[in-house]
Amino acid sequence: MGLDNENPTLFEKSEERIVSEKDLDDNEVEEFDSREIFDLIRGITDPEHPLSLEELRVVDQNLIEVEDSMNIVKVLFTPTIPHCSMATLIGLSIKVRLLWCLPPRFKISVTITPGTHASEHAINKQLDDKERVAAALENTHLSTVLNKCIATA
Amino acid sequence: MAYVLNEIVDVVKNGNDIDSTCEVVSKEISDKRLTFLQFVESMEEILTSTDKDIRLNGVMAFVAVLKKLPLDFFTPEELDYISQFLCERFIDHHSFVPVVLTGIEYTVQMKNITKQMIVRYFNTIMPHFHCQSQLQNDRHTFYCILQYIFLNRLDDLRFMGPDFLYCVISSMDGERDPNNLILLFRILPQFLRNFPLGHLAEETFDVIACYFPIDFYETEESKITRDELATNLSRCLTCVEDFADFCIPLALQKLEASLKVAKLDSLHLLKLCCENFDPIKIKNHIEEIWRILKMIIMTDTEDSADEVREAAISVLTALLYSLTIIKGDNEQEQLSNFLDIILKSSNRFLLDTQATLFIPSIKLLCSVGKTSNYACLKIANKVYLILLDKSDVSKTEIIRIIEAMGLITNMCIQMSINLSSIPGLETRWEEICCYFLLYAQNELPDIKMSALRALNISTKILNNSQRQNYYCILIQLIKSDIPDPIRKDTLSCFKEAAKCFNEEVNREIIQFNLNILNQSNDIELKSKWLDALCCLGNEEYFFSLISDSLCANISEKQAETEITLKCLRNLVKNVVNINLLHHFAFNGRLLNFILTTWINGIKSCADFKIFRNETILEDVSFVVNSIVKVIKESEQLQILNQFSQYFNDIMNTKINFKTLSDIQQGIHSYMVILLESILNSLKTNIKLNNVTLLIENCIELSTYSNNSICNLSASRLTATLINKYIDGDENDFLIDKLKLNLESYLNLSSLYINNVIIQISWITKSLSLKSHKKMLQWIDWSLNLLADPLYGKIMTQCFKMLTQTDDGYLNKECFCSVKLLYKQRIFCYVIEPLISKYNTSPELTKENYLISILYQMDGNTYVTLSPYFSKVLPLLLQLLSPEQVYVLQSLQTFCNLLESKTPVLEDYLESFIPKLLNLSQSSKYMNIRIVALQCLYNCCDYSLIKLLPLKKQVISELSKCLDDKKRLVRKEVVRTKSRWLSVDIVKDDD
């Protein structure tokens, strides 16, 4: 089977987050911020290539919005090409990764960056539907692929 | 004589014990006491019997006797009868076949066998023998006959032409036994190469090819490996030119399989095809081959495909080698056409430098280019021109362009191609290195680094003016403040340049700047230059220079000396060329300079900090020690003799520290550090006078000196000396005396007790290392000292020390005696007393035992721990609760145990996992929470069957930790939870 995008453009990876002295102080409290969310999802592997979502610039720290006090996390992701058939799968893996790794108090929304995919609305709707996400996780084939993507995160 | 013959008739009739009787007969025959004819005549009744079982026994006896006779025993006439007889028996009854085959196997090897007899054998065998309906062993016998024929008598059968070939291939058609197959695969090439295949070529190929790719699962008993079968099979498939037309399509067809072994086998076969078949034949399939290779090399996205990709590249290189040898009018034409195809398909990847496949295609082209000068020239021309003509490039693109040009330049250098000889580049070749030089001055670190790496590769091809430019850039970089990775690249460029152009580098870079270096007061600048100089430690040419500049920068000024010693320390620590250290010790006088400077400085009580500063003294000691360690015994002796006079006070006179003046006390304290650096790594054959006195003096110094580095040196030196020089019964009294002395010191003022305890620990360690017979006494003493409320706590250090190994001291590199498994021996000895004392002693001293136990456990592996596990584990589990003081330390120990997959813990998973979960939620300290989570992470190494019942609980408990207030803890929770979530995911390979 041919690949949707056989020769994608590569971007640089960002440095590891630097641990500050404040991080090591037992009494300080750190809230969730966009970088922390970004760190959770940047290592997810693209279903087509052995490359991370960060390298392909599918996820970007600037497109993540977090409000800890309001319990809101919003992630926008950008498929490499407008007709990418893997967009749903990528969105699903981001969503599942966040569901597993964030405290349950957060309302997580994962959507496509406006104007970057042909069937944007359909995919956004699908990702926002709890039932469909749950159903996708029940599917053996789909969950194998998902696990493979998330394993590297 | 007659007796044997009479007996044999009965024996053969009954069918018992034929072998041993036949052996007697053979012996008689070969000793000429009996003739073969007589033997056959006596068997008349049996061999002509109407009962086929009796006849069979007769043939068996006949063959058994035959097999015991020498290969040159029969005359041609006799052999003729024998072979005729065997042929008749072969068609007598099907049950005779196995035994007759053994007979034939033996007779074909006989000296006097003639062509006629061999032909007779095969004329009988061919119409009457169906190999595949025989048992495995009999088939093996037949293949052995074939093996002998192929090797020695093939010419006799050549006239039979296709008939014989057909006999061979039909005998192996459908063979399934791996042992037979491996034999066949080994012998077939010899046959196929020397026998005309004619119209049966395709048939023959099909019979062999049906095994490709080999599908064979090795078991533990099988002596044959899959690889062995596969290699031999592919050799058969490519051994004759006639197979070319069938073999290449076969390989290409199987290459499209999804199985990795099939792919690898096919690639290997394809490579052999390229190597063995006529290039003209290969040429016909070239486009097909490239289509598939391209797919594998360029676009295979599987993670595990590296091996396949490499194999594919090796096929491609084999293919190109094959094309280069096509001779004829259009010698280069084929190669050129193919190169065009390759370049055309990589072209689109070369255009977009930012795309994923840019560097892989450059790498592919480099391996292609390395196959012939022609290919190299063609590729270099194409790629250089594409890259040089790129304009409007972004930052990331520049980095990749430079990397690519570096790779191509490397290819040209390896093929010894002059850049100026590349067509199309005659006027532009200098641009390439200029491009590198230009970007080496770029502000952006990434660009600078890639340009430096490219320059490193192309050092040799820089022209004169470019080199001048390059040197200026290097000087500038060395001088300026640059981040570590860039400095590393700069220095490796400097090193490479110094290797290729040592005089020039010395003149243009070093000499010019050395004056500045020596006169400047800028410490930072000096440090940078010294660092740069020290990286030339591999080149003999620079030895004197390094040694001189280091000496020149060691002075009364503390800061300068400090940085110089730091450079020197790094240099001797990472030295590659041992000659440098010899140079320091003798020709360069560096060692001499350092030692005399410090000896004089300390002795004259010069008022400079460098003679008192701990770091400096430690560096000096390290450097001297490292140099002494590598030189020869005689050279060590020379150094010792030269300097021992300065240490007379410590080595030859009894010191009474308390009665000395303050100044004297200071001198002694610092001198012992230097003395240790010289004595520490002496070979044991070098004898010291008055070792006992020296040991006592060292103990005196270690006890009373109030300088911590001096204490350490003195007590360590004591330990080294005892380890190296105190042996034999006559010295036992000394050890006892030392013990008595130290015991009395313990009653001294509490000021010195710390020192005494440390000294006791060092001596205990020294004795334990060499398993001295007094060792257990000292260990017992140490154990008892733990109970003391005053100094028990310090004593725990001893139990830590016993499990630790120091890089520079008390090890085999310093020529100390270190017995195998000494750590384990101590552990077994101390662990039970420690545990029982822990359980019985009062609260005040309890923790001393606990800490010692933890130290001991940390230093030993599971194998040592296992017998004591049932005793230690409850103690550990008890500690895993948030209110315990030592929870972090014990958690760390526990984590180490889990990390090394200690098997015993598997059975206790359900008792400690809840404790760990509790710790990770409720501990006040983030460090404890983190280590507890790491423990939980490591638990996943145990077998799934134990983990599954706990999975649900762990995951739900871990979810509670996800909202931890510390980010570092959250990171750990995510890591652990993901691991637990994926424990039961079936991997692809399962």
Side-chain angles (χ1 to χ4, degrees):
Chain A
M1 193 186 76
L3 300 175
D4 273 358
N5 184 4
E6 114 188 296
N7 190 18
T9 308
L10 273 188
F11 296 89
E12 263 185 292
K13 283 203 261 187
S14 49
E15 301 283 319
E16 286 291 311
R17 184 178 195 139
I18 297 160
V19 178
S20 66
E21 232 162 79
K22 215 174 123 192
D23 289 341
L24 300 172
D25 184 349
D26 260 314
N27 301 317
E28 293 282 342
V29 177
E30 289 126 23
E31 293 193 338
F32 282 87
D33 59 10
S34 62
R35 175 66 205 237
E36 186 168 352
I37 306 296
F38 180 62
D39 279 341
L40 286 175
I41 55 178
R42 67 179 180 146
I44 298 176
T45 319
D46 182 275
E48 263 190 350
H49 303 274
L51 296 167
S52 69
L53 294 188
E54 181 187 14
E55 282 171 292
L56 297 169
R57 218 26 93 77
V58 173
V59 290
D60 193 327
Q61 194 184 334
N62 299 325
L63 296 176
I64 298 175
E65 199 185 312
V66 184
E67 267 187 71
D68 195 315
S69 52
M70 308 282 288
N71 297 334
I72 291 175
V73 172
K74 282 185 183 161
V75 177
L76 294 180
F77 71 99
T78 321
T80 50
I81 45 170
H83 294 281
C84 182
S85 63
M86 299 287 170
T88 328
L89 193 56
I90 296 176
L92 191 60
S93 44
I94 298 176
K95 178 114 189 181
V96 171
R97 170 79 179 163
L98 292 178
L99 282 174
W100 281 351
C101 301
L102 287 178
R105 64 185 167 93
F106 280 103
K107 159 107 179 82
I108 300 160
S109 120
V110 176
T111 45
I112 291 185
T113 319
T116 58
H117 197 275
S119 39
E120 193 181 315
H121 291 294
I123 296 177
N124 286 346
K125 208 171 162 190
Q126 214 172 343
L127 288 173
D128 207 28
D129 189 336
K130 268 188 212 165
E131 306 280 314
R132 285 168 86 170
V133 172
L137 289 177
E138 306 262 307
N139 180 322
T140 339
H141 173 67
L142 206 52
S143 67
T144 322
V145 181
L146 270 181
N147 280 322
K148 218 171 152 185
C149 296
I150 295 179
T152 52
Chain B
M1 179 188 84
Y3 169 71
V4 185
L5 289 183
N6 287 339
E7 192 187 9
I8 195 151
V9 175
D10 294 336
V11 168
V12 174
K13 247 186 199 163
N14 302 329
N16 303 325
D17 210 17
I18 297 182
D19 280 344
S20 57
T21 322
C22 289
E23 207 174 325
V24 180
V25 177
S26 313
K27 184 101 178 65
E28 296 285 311
I29 297 175
S30 49
D31 291 349
K32 310 267 184 204
R33 283 194 289 273
L34 188 75
T35 65
F36 193 71
L37 183 62
Q38 282 172 318
F39 160 68
V40 177
E41 278 172 351
S42 71
M43 298 267 287
E44 185 187 350
E45 178 197 341
I46 298 169
L47 290 171
T48 55
S49 162
T50 48
D51 183 343
K52 79 161 171 41
D53 291 333
I54 295 181
R55 267 202 330 274
L56 178 61
N57 284 350
V59 179
M60 271 188 205
F62 182 84
V63 172
V65 171
L66 204 65
K67 276 177 74 175
K68 296 281 179 226
L69 294 171
L71 286 172
D72 56 354
F73 185 80
F74 294 109
T75 61
E77 293 76 31
E78 286 171 320
L79 259 181
D80 195 42
Y81 283 112
I82 293 173
S83 78
Q84 221 164 353
F85 173 75
L86 285 174
C87 285
E88 276 161 23
R89 294 285 72 76
F90 192 83
I91 47 179
D92 188 343
H93 189 267
H94 71 86
S95 60
F96 286 31
V97 169
V99 58
V100 177
L101 274 179
T102 8
I104 297 179
E105 186 197 357
Y106 193 69
T107 45
V108 288
Q109 299 173 39
M110 289 196 169
K111 190 180 162 201
N112 288 323
I113 189 107
T114 60
K115 176 179 172 183
Q116 187 203 355
M117 297 173 212
I118 291 180
V119 172
R120 182 190 295 140
Y121 277 146
F122 278 93
N123 277 333
T124 319
I125 289 174
M126 283 189 309
H128 297 109
F129 179 65
H130 188 240
C131 185
Q132 288 305 317
S133 30
Q134 304 297 323
L135 294 176
Q136 188 262 334
N137 265 335
D138 306 326
R139 297 201 304 269
H140 188 79
T141 317
F142 181 66
Y143 298 139
C144 289
I145 298 174
L146 287 183
Q147 180 181 21
Y148 184 82
I149 302 284
F150 290 167
L151 286 173
N152 303 297
R153 316 292 300 218
L154 199 55
D155 283 339
D156 297 340
L157 291 170
R158 205 176 289 281
F159 80 95
M160 292 172 86
D163 287 346
F164 181 64
L165 177 63
Y166 187 77
C167 165
V168 174
I169 59 174
S170 62
S171 76
M172 68 172 288
D173 192 3
E175 177 63 58
R176 299 181 62 87
D177 182 77
N179 290 298
N180 285 343
L181 279 176
I182 191 98
L183 173 69
L184 280 169
F185 293 158
R186 280 189 191 133
I187 61 177
L188 277 174
Q190 167 78 12
F191 169 63
L192 297 172
R193 273 192 211 115
N194 297 312
F195 203 88
L197 299 182
H199 68 284
L200 283 175
E202 184 168 3
E203 186 101 32
T204 317
F205 181 80
D206 283 344
V207 169
I208 313 172
C210 68
Y211 299 103
F212 185 86
I214 295 276
D215 178 19
F216 172 63
Y217 291 98
E218 293 163 28
T219 57
E220 288 193 3
E221 297 97 59
S222 60
K223 292 180 191 123
I224 301 166
T225 62
R226 205 206 76 90
D227 283 348
E228 209 175 343
L229 280 166
T231 336
N232 283 301
L233 173 61
S234 36
R235 216 173 284 152
C236 285
L237 290 174
T238 52
C239 65
V240 274
E241 203 63 51
D242 301 353
F243 289 169
D245 291 331
F246 320 115
C247 193
I248 303 170
L250 172 78
L252 291 174
Q253 182 201 341
K254 301 288 179 192
L255 198 52
E256 300 193 38
S258 56
L259 217 61
K260 190 175 153 201
V261 268
K263 271 190 189 172
L264 282 173
D265 270 6
S266 314
L267 287 169
H268 182 67
L269 181 64
L270 209 50
K271 188 174 168 209
L272 283 181
C273 289
C274 296
E275 285 167 1
N276 294 339
F277 294 145
D278 185 351
I280 303 288
K281 295 246 160 115
I282 307 283
K283 195 192 83 189
N284 302 332
H285 299 276
I286 207 154
E287 292 194 10
E288 176 74 2
I289 298 179
W290 171 242
R291 187 183 67 80
I292 295 180
L293 287 183
K294 187 177 72 180
M295 223 153 66
I296 294 174
I297 300 174
M298 302 272 205
T299 52
D300 215 341
T301 52
E302 286 286 316
D303 269 344
S304 60
D306 276 352
E307 204 181 342
V308 180
R309 195 168 296 140
E310 252 163 55
I313 290 184
S314 75
V315 173
L316 187 60
T317 35
L319 185 63
L320 285 155
Y321 277 124
S322 146
L323 287 180
T324 46
I325 53 172
I326 295 186
K327 293 278 175 269
D329 305 334
N330 50 1
E331 205 171 315
Q332 301 290 8
E333 194 186 310
Q334 295 309 328
L335 180 63
S336 159
N337 287 344
F338 184 47
L339 280 174
D340 283 341
I341 298 175
I342 297 181
L343 280 170
K344 205 170 122 201
S345 23
S346 10
N347 199 16
R348 65 196 177 100
F349 300 127
L350 292 180
L351 293 177
D352 185 1
T353 44
Q354 247 182 314
T356 336
L357 292 173
F358 176 69
I359 292 293
S361 35
I362 291 282
K363 285 185 178 158
L364 165 75
L365 290 176
C366 285
S367 14
V368 170
K370 284 176 195 163
T371 53
S372 67
N373 279 356
Y374 178 79
C376 181
L377 283 173
K378 200 162 164 114
I379 287 170
N381 157 290
K382 169 99 181 182
V383 180
Y384 275 138
L385 289 181
I386 290 186
L387 296 179
L388 282 176
D389 289 341
K390 275 206 193 299
S391 53
D392 269 351
V393 279
S394 73
K395 174 197 147 196
T396 41
E397 280 181 281
I398 293 177
I399 298 175
R400 290 163 144 251
I401 292 176
I402 294 176
E403 187 184 345
M405 289 219 277
L407 288 168
I408 297 289
T409 312
N410 189 29
M411 167 186 86
C412 293
I413 293 175
Q414 278 189 16
M415 295 300 289
S416 319
I417 293 225
N418 207 330
L419 290 195
S420 58
S421 68
I422 299 172
L425 251 91
E426 294 88 353
T427 50
R428 299 187 66 184
W429 68 275
E430 286 176 323
E431 276 179 43
I432 296 163
C433 291
C434 289
Y435 196 85
F436 297 155
L437 286 169
L438 174 71
Y439 283 108
Q441 299 168 70
N442 194 293
E443 288 306 310
L444 291 166
D446 290 340
I447 296 186
K448 199 183 276 251
M449 267 155 70
S450 59
L452 282 173
R453 269 178 225 142
L455 280 168
N456 196 351
I457 295 170
S458 24
T459 309
K460 277 188 202 143
I461 55 165
L462 294 175
N463 66 21
N464 226 330
S465 64
Q466 283 173 336
R467 280 208 300 278
Q468 296 304 328
N469 201 343
Y470 184 34
Y471 297 150
C472 291
I473 294 174
L474 285 180
I475 293 176
Q476 204 49 45
L477 281 172
I478 291 174
K479 278 202 289 199
S480 49
D481 284 316
I482 42 177
D484 278 348
I486 303 188
R487 184 164 298 279
K488 213 173 133 209
D489 282 330
T490 310
L491 290 183
S492 70
C493 284
F494 182 49
K495 214 159 131 180
E496 182 66 21
K499 196 169 135 197
C500 303
F501 306 100
N502 49 30
E503 278 178 39
E504 212 173 86
V505 166
N506 188 18
R507 194 175 60 236
E508 304 288 334
I509 304 189
I510 299 171
Q511 292 307 335
F512 182 64
N513 289 284
L514 209 57
N515 301 331
I516 309 173
L517 167 69
N518 288 339
Q519 285 151 20
S520 155
N521 283 326
D522 185 347
I523 295 292
E524 290 285 308
L525 185 69
K526 274 198 176 187
S527 151
K528 286 170 194 156
W529 275 109
L530 284 173
D531 246 351
L533 265 186
C534 285
C535 78
L536 305 182
N538 279 341
E539 307 296 321
E540 302 255 2
Y541 182 86
F542 295 99
F543 280 0
S544 310
L545 187 77
I546 295 175
S547 165
D548 292 345
S549 0
L550 288 172
C551 289
N553 281 293
I554 291 177
S555 65
E556 301 85 41
K557 294 179 194 153
Q558 181 176 349
E560 264 173 35
T561 311
E562 230 167 69
I563 53 141
T564 316
L565 281 171
K566 208 177 111 230
C567 291
L568 182 55
R569 185 184 172 124
N570 286 335
L571 181 61
V572 294
K573 192 173 166 191
N574 306 317
V575 74
V576 187
N577 192 342
I578 294 290
N579 291 339
L580 178 69
L581 296 186
H582 281 271
H583 184 87
F584 283 165
F586 297 101
N587 325 20
R589 320 279 308 152
L590 179 103
L591 181 70
N592 199 5
F593 175 77
I594 290 184
L595 277 173
T596 38
T597 312
W598 262 269
I599 289 172
N600 291 334
I602 293 172
K603 285 219 161 180
S604 62
C605 300
D607 195 19
F608 296 116
K609 287 234 169 77
I610 59 160
F611 303 120
R612 305 268 189 281
N613 182 298
E614 277 193 21
T615 350
I616 292 186
L617 281 170
E618 222 234 295
D619 285 343
V620 168
S621 153
F622 181 88
V623 169
V624 174
N625 185 11
S626 309
I627 297 177
V628 174
K629 200 183 283 184
V630 296
I631 56 180
K632 279 190 241 127
E633 194 178 306
S634 55
E635 294 167 339
Q636 287 187 340
L637 194 63
Q638 196 182 329
I639 303 267
L640 178 67
N641 290 337
Q642 188 187 343
F643 289 100
S644 59
Q645 46 174 321
Y646 302 107
F647 297 96
N648 245 332
D649 291 344
I650 306 181
M651 292 175 85
N652 294 321
T653 41
K654 171 93 185 115
I655 299 178
N656 193 341
F657 198 81
K658 295 217 118 174
T659 59
L660 295 176
S661 65
D662 282 356
I663 294 175
Q664 280 296 317
Q665 287 185 349
I667 293 177
H668 279 66
S669 299
Y670 291 111
M671 285 298 273
V672 81
I673 299 171
L674 295 181
L675 181 63
E676 191 204 9
S677 69
I678 300 177
L679 297 186
N680 185 48
S681 301
L682 288 188
K683 307 211 166 148
T684 36
N685 287 342
I686 299 179
K687 291 290 168 232
L688 297 177
N689 308 323
N690 263 335
V691 179
T692 326
L693 181 67
L694 181 55
I695 290 176
E696 281 168 356
N697 282 343
C698 284
I699 293 182
E700 184 85 12
L701 286 172
S702 78
T703 312
Y704 293 114
S705 166
N706 43 17
N707 180 314
S708 64
I709 169 172
C710 155
N711 289 333
L712 178 67
S713 271
S715 37
R716 205 163 47 194
L717 181 57
T718 320
T720 309
L721 292 173
I722 290 179
N723 185 290
K724 282 191 188 171
Y725 299 107
I726 305 302
D727 272 320
D729 295 340
E730 69 277 10
N731 281 318
D732 282 356
F733 84 97
L734 176 71
I735 306 282
D736 289 336
K737 188 174 145 200
L738 293 180
K739 190 168 173 234
L740 280 176
N741 283 347
L742 286 166
E743 264 168 6
S744 67
Y745 285 163
L746 278 178
N747 302 324
L748 288 173
S749 106
S750 57
L751 213 59
Y752 306 114
I753 283 188
N754 197 352
N755 297 346
V756 179
I757 299 276
I758 296 294
Q759 179 67 77
I760 295 173
S761 309
W762 275 106
I763 298 182
T764 315
K765 173 155 188 181
S766 156
L767 293 172
S768 313
L769 281 178
K770 61 191 251 172
S771 290
H772 193 275
K773 59 181 169 190
K774 293 278 177 194
M775 143 186 153
L776 296 182
Q777 255 180 38
W778 284 71
I779 292 179
D780 284 337
W781 189 29
S782 310
L783 278 172
N784 292 335
L785 289 175
L786 280 178
D788 194 289
L790 248 181
Y791 38 78
K793 190 99 179 229
I794 314 164
M795 201 63 221
T796 55
Q797 287 304 311
C798 173
F799 289 89
K800 184 179 185 181
M801 216 185 264
L802 283 173
T803 60
Q804 281 176 333
T805 36
D806 194 310
D807 286 343
Y809 302 93
L810 281 172
N811 56 28
K812 286 197 167 163
E813 281 91 67
C814 307
F815 310 105
C816 283
S817 138
V818 179
K819 286 279 169 353
L820 262 183
L821 301 178
Y822 77 94
K823 256 192 236 174
Q824 288 75 354
R825 197 177 159 200
I826 297 171
F827 177 83
C828 297
Y829 186 73
V830 299
I831 193 71
E832 288 199 30
L834 282 175
I835 295 174
S836 71
K837 291 242 174 86
Y838 169 77
N839 291 329
T840 52
S841 49
E843 280 302 319
L844 192 61
T845 52
K846 220 174 174 134
E847 60 177 73
N848 294 346
Y849 294 105
L850 180 65
I851 298 172
S852 307
I853 294 174
L854 291 177
Y855 281 143
Q856 282 290 316
M857 283 182 64
D858 273 344
N860 279 288
T861 52
Y862 169 69
V863 184
T864 328
L865 294 179
S866 61
Y868 304 94
F869 228 93
S870 52
K871 288 184 184 137
V872 186
L873 199 63
L875 201 139
L876 269 182
L877 289 181
Q878 205 181 318
L879 284 170
L880 295 182
S881 62
E883 60 273 11
Q884 285 287 342
V885 189
Y886 288 97
V887 64
L888 183 59
Q889 204 168 359
S890 43
L891 256 181
Q892 204 70 39
T893 311
F894 202 67
C895 195
N896 294 343
L897 287 172
L898 285 171
E899 211 166 3
S900 54
K901 302 191 185 60
T902 311
V904 145
L905 288 175
E906 189 168 39
D907 298 332
Y908 299 93
L909 279 175
E910 49 200 78
S911 30
F912 62 77
I913 281 190
K915 282 176 184 287
L916 290 171
L917 286 169
N918 182 19
L919 275 178
S920 60
Q921 281 170 34
S922 51
S923 171
K924 272 186 292 187
Y925 305 101
M926 60 183 290
N927 283 340
I928 295 182
R929 296 201 296 272
I930 290 179
V931 184
L933 287 165
Q934 281 167 352
C935 287
L936 283 167
Y937 179 86
N938 289 331
C939 287
C940 292
D941 286 329
Y942 291 112
S943 68
L944 189 56
I945 208 156
K946 300 270 181 190
L947 295 175
L948 274 183
L950 297 159
K951 182 178 168 184
K952 208 172 157 195
Q953 183 196 1
V954 174
I955 287 175
S956 81
E957 293 292 315
L958 281 178
S959 302
K960 293 178 194 159
C961 310
L962 280 173
D963 219 355
D964 199 285
K965 63 176 180 177
K966 301 304 297 176
R967 187 171 293 129
L968 289 174
V969 181
R970 292 200 292 259
K971 198 174 157 193
E972 210 55 51
V973 182
V974 167
R975 190 173 86 110
T976 311
K977 192 180 168 199
S978 309
R979 178 111 196 252
W980 272 90
L981 277 169
S982 59
V983 278
D984 49 352
I985 290 175
V986 184
K987 305 240 166 49
D988 276 355
D989 359 325
D990 299 345

